[in-house]
């Protein structure tokens, strides 16, 4: 029996090594065709340390300048993660907008073709019905109903086009039925209709159906967006720790006007409840941190320091939270940041402004807007922006909104649009 158990342990160890090497290949960390000794040594070190402190991976924060850029490769239908830190630029290159739009449409086409409605039926399929995408540049001279995908564009009021990387196709929408969602400039849409006199007459316009995050990551072979380089066995340990951590929570609060007494009173009530319950969540505090817009001047700098000092004096009254909770500060569009940029990403708040708060709280994190947060295996993108105003400003076809039961509000249409895009 001892001999059998010893053999089982050996086979399990060998399988663990093989799985870890496969994981490194999947993460594209193995560049050679042959597995080198250094790779095996690195894998063995990880496996031989079963008591590694995974609690340090409970919370991870990545700002906009540390994240990876995602570039789609249409030849192998997967994505490449490019390290943005090695090529960090504030201003984009001349053709970056064209490349971005091309990648958007390719990713959307790939996602649509994975949908069950667009898959070519097999012999064992119960139904022989399916939709087929037609390329925009193949529609001229064709007849009959077609389904196309493209970027919606209206350079002149009353004139609408569908575009991809090759073609710009004029469309007629006077008799179009629009699905739920906000159809704006540069939205990716699915259009059903027919060609007539070199114009595509759209009968139905909708968004490509959304896909679950898990399925997208698996299909596009995106294994590690946080550069943690975890093996599958280590991810299982993290999942187990996550399920055991019943007190894991994150509190997100925005528009914290620290220059208003009423706001500080409400924050005090929140902190009191968590202090009494011995729960120490991750507090994600998002700007704007003042009711008035800050400007680059000595007077404004002193005013924002006073605001954060007041927050520090408040948290000092709750020593357990100050000692154990993580505090993440993300700026709004009116906050004073390192760079007075009017475009995204918005840089983080200067450390000098939070000196008073950092003396009172132990775990203080400053990040950009947007940024990404990881709690064990869960990932969250935090982005502070007035999307409602932007959507309304760029609307081409207003959605149907009513206060009656069963209908969608503008916010519902907007959320659907973000998910589908």
């Amino acid at each position: 029996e001892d001999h059998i158990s010893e053999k089982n342990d050996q086979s399990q160890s060998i399988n663990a090594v093989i799985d870890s090497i496969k994981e490194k290949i999947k993460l594209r960390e193995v560049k050679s065709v042959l597995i080198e000794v250094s790779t095996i040594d690195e894998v063995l070190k990880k496996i031989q340390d079963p008591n590694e402190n995974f609690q340090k991976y409970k919370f991870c924060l990545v700002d906009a300048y540390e994240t990876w850029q995602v570039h789609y490769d249409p030849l192998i239908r997967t994505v490449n993660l490019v390290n943005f830190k090695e090529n960090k630029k504030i201003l984009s290159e001349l053709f970056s907008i064209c490349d971005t739009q091309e990648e958007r449409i390719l990713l959307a086409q790939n996602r649509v073709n994975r949908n069950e409605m667009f898959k070519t039926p097999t012999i064992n399929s119960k139904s022989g019905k399916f939709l087929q995408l037609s390329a925009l540049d193949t529609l001229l001279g064709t007849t009959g109903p077609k389904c196309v995908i493209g970027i919606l564009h209206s350079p002149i009021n009353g004139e609408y086009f569908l575009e991809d990387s090759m073609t710009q196709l004029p469309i007629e929408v006077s008799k179009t039925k629009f699905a739920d969602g906000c159809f704006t400039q540069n939205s990716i849409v699915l259009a059903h209709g027919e060609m007539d006199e070199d114009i595509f007459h759209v009968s139905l316009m909708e968004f490509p159906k959304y896909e679950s995050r898990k399925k997208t990551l698996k299909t596009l072979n995106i294994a590690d967006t946080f550069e943690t380089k975890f093996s599958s066995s280590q991810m299982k340990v993290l999942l187990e720790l996550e399920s055991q951590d019943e007190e894991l929570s994150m509190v997100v609060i925005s528009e914290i006007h620290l220059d208003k007494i009423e706001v500080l009173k409400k924050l005090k009530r929140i902190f009191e409840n968590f202090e009494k319950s011995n729960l120490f969540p991750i507090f994600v505090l998002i700007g704007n941190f003042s009711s008035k817009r800050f400007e680059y001047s000595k007077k404004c700098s002193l005013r924002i320091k006073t605001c954060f000092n007041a927050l520090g004096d408040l948290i000092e009254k709750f020593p357990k939270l100050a000692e154990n909770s993580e505090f993440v500060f993300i700026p709004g569009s009116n906050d004073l940041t390192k760079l007075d940029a009017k475009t995204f990403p918005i840089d983080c708040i200067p450390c000098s402004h939070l000196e008073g708060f950092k003396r009172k709280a132990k775990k203080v994190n400053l990040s950009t807007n947007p940024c990404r947060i990881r709690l064990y295996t869960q990932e969250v993108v935090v982005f502070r922006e007035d999307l409602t105003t932007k959507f309304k400003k760029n609307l081409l076809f207003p959605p149907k909104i009513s206060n009656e039961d069963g209908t969608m509000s503008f916010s519902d249409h907007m959320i659907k649009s973000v998910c589908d895009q």
Side-chain angles (χ1 to χ4, degrees):
E1 290 181 2
D2 292 340
H3 181 67
I4 292 171
S5 62
E6 186 178 343
K7 273 193 168 183
N8 289 335
D9 291 341
Q10 287 178 355
S11 62
Q12 287 177 1
S13 300
I14 293 171
N15 288 334
V17 173
I18 294 172
D19 289 341
S20 298
I21 292 174
K22 284 181 178 178
E23 197 72 28
K24 291 182 78 66
I25 295 171
K26 190 177 180 181
L27 294 172
R28 299 169 194 165
E29 295 175 13
V30 179
K31 298 179 181 179
S32 174
V33 178
L34 301 175
I35 305 299
E36 299 176 352
V37 177
S38 58
T39 304
I40 298 175
D41 287 340
E42 189 178 340
V43 167
L44 288 174
K45 284 179 183 178
K46 283 189 175 182
I47 293 174
Q48 290 170 358
D49 188 13
N51 299 318
E52 183 180 356
N53 182 19
F54 281 92
Q55 284 294 337
K56 63 183 179 181
Y57 300 114
K58 173 182 176 179
F59 170 75
C60 178
L61 178 66
V62 178
D63 67 29
Y65 300 117
E66 294 177 341
T67 191
W68 291 72
Q69 286 183 326
V70 179
H71 293 291
Y72 180 68
D73 189 341
L75 295 177
I76 57 177
R77 294 186 178 182
T78 187
V79 298
N80 298 315
L81 298 178
V82 181
N83 194 340
F84 186 52
K85 291 182 284 187
E86 296 176 358
N87 189 27
K88 184 166 73 172
K89 293 180 180 179
I90 300 297
L91 300 177
S92 58
E93 296 178 357
L94 181 61
F95 296 104
S96 61
I97 185 65
C98 300
D99 295 339
T100 301
Q101 296 290 58
E102 184 177 2
E103 287 191 3
R104 283 184 66 215
I105 194 69
L106 287 172
L107 282 167
Q109 286 175 346
N110 194 302
R111 172 158 52 99
V112 168
N113 287 323
R114 290 196 298 269
N115 190 284
E116 293 296 329
M117 293 176 60
F118 290 86
K119 282 186 178 179
T120 306
T122 60
I123 298 174
N124 297 324
S125 299
K126 294 181 180 179
S127 175
K129 295 181 179 180
F130 74 103
L131 291 172
Q132 184 174 7
L133 281 181
S134 301
L136 295 181
D137 57 355
T138 63
L139 292 182
L140 289 177
T142 62
T143 58
K146 303 290 182 182
C147 179
V148 296
I149 187 171
I151 296 175
L152 183 62
H153 184 51
S154 177
I156 305 172
N157 287 338
E159 294 185 10
Y160 304 99
F161 297 87
L162 282 182
E163 298 179 350
D164 59 15
S165 58
M166 302 292 292
T167 311
Q168 184 184 69
L169 180 70
I171 60 174
E172 174 59 46
V173 293
S174 58
K175 298 180 180 179
T176 302
K177 179 182 177 182
F178 294 94
D180 294 330
C182 297
F183 293 89
T184 63
Q185 287 274 15
N186 296 318
S187 292
I188 295 178
V189 298
L190 278 174
H192 305 257
E194 297 185 40
M195 288 294 293
D196 185 16
E197 297 182 357
D198 297 339
I199 297 176
F200 190 67
H201 292 254
V202 182
S203 58
L204 172 64
M205 186 178 291
E206 60 182 343
F207 289 134
K209 186 173 176 57
Y210 71 90
E211 187 177 67
S212 69
R213 179 179 181 276
K214 185 177 181 181
K215 184 178 180 180
T216 301
L217 293 179
K218 184 178 179 181
T219 305
L220 297 180
N221 196 25
I222 306 174
D224 191 5
T225 53
F226 270 72
E227 202 184 0
T228 49
K229 299 180 182 178
F230 287 144
S231 64
S232 56
S233 58
Q234 289 173 317
M235 287 299 292
K236 289 179 181 177
V237 175
L238 275 178
L239 276 170
E240 188 176 342
L241 289 173
E242 184 181 325
S243 62
Q244 294 172 358
D245 194 346
E246 297 178 354
E247 298 179 354
L248 177 66
S249 60
M250 183 169 69
V251 178
V252 182
I253 312 173
S254 64
E255 288 298 305
I256 308 173
H257 296 164
L258 299 175
D259 55 344
K260 290 187 176 181
I261 298 175
E262 295 83 2
V263 173
L264 293 173
K265 286 181 179 179
K266 290 179 180 179
L267 284 174
K268 182 180 179 181
R269 190 184 304 172
I270 293 172
F271 294 153
E272 277 178 349
N273 291 332
F274 281 109
E275 183 84 2
K276 290 176 183 176
S277 60
N278 285 323
L279 292 175
F280 311 114
I282 296 167
F283 287 99
V284 181
L285 307 179
I286 309 173
N288 300 306
F289 291 103
S290 174
S291 57
K292 300 177 182 178
R293 186 178 182 87
F294 287 111
E295 298 176 357
Y296 280 80
S297 65
K298 186 176 181 180
K299 185 179 179 180
C300 282
S301 182
L302 290 173
R303 183 156 60 89
I304 188 61
K305 285 182 181 179
T306 303
C307 290
F308 284 116
N309 287 343
L311 184 61
D313 294 337
L314 178 61
I315 200 64
E316 189 178 19
K317 298 175 183 177
F318 308 99
K320 293 179 184 178
L321 287 180
E323 178 71 20
N324 298 293
S325 285
E326 297 273 0
F327 292 89
V328 181
F329 289 88
I330 299 173
S333 56
N334 293 338
D335 289 321
L336 200 63
T337 58
K338 291 182 180 179
L339 297 174
D340 187 21
K342 306 299 181 185
T343 57
F344 289 98
I346 299 175
D347 214 336
C348 57
I349 298 169
C351 296
S352 58
H353 292 171
L354 282 101
E355 285 179 352
F357 184 84
K358 293 176 80 171
R359 284 195 293 266
K360 309 294 173 62
K362 185 178 179 181
K363 303 173 183 178
V364 181
N365 305 271
L366 307 179
S367 191
T368 58
N369 179 14
C371 67
R372 304 178 71 190
I373 296 174
R374 182 172 190 159
L375 301 177
Y376 289 118
T377 62
Q378 301 181 53
E379 297 180 15
V380 180
V381 175
V382 182
F383 180 38
R384 173 70 175 88
E385 171 63 344
D386 187 2
L387 288 179
T388 303
T389 302
K390 280 196 171 182
F391 266 86
K392 288 182 176 179
K393 189 183 293 185
N394 292 283
L395 267 181
L396 296 179
F397 310 108
K400 293 181 180 179
I401 300 171
S402 175
N403 294 326
E404 299 174 5
D405 293 338
T407 57
M408 298 173 67
S409 65
F410 186 86
S411 296
D412 294 329
H413 285 283
M414 184 182 69
I415 292 168
K416 184 183 186 302
S417 303
V418 172
C419 293
D420 289 344
Q421 290 298 304

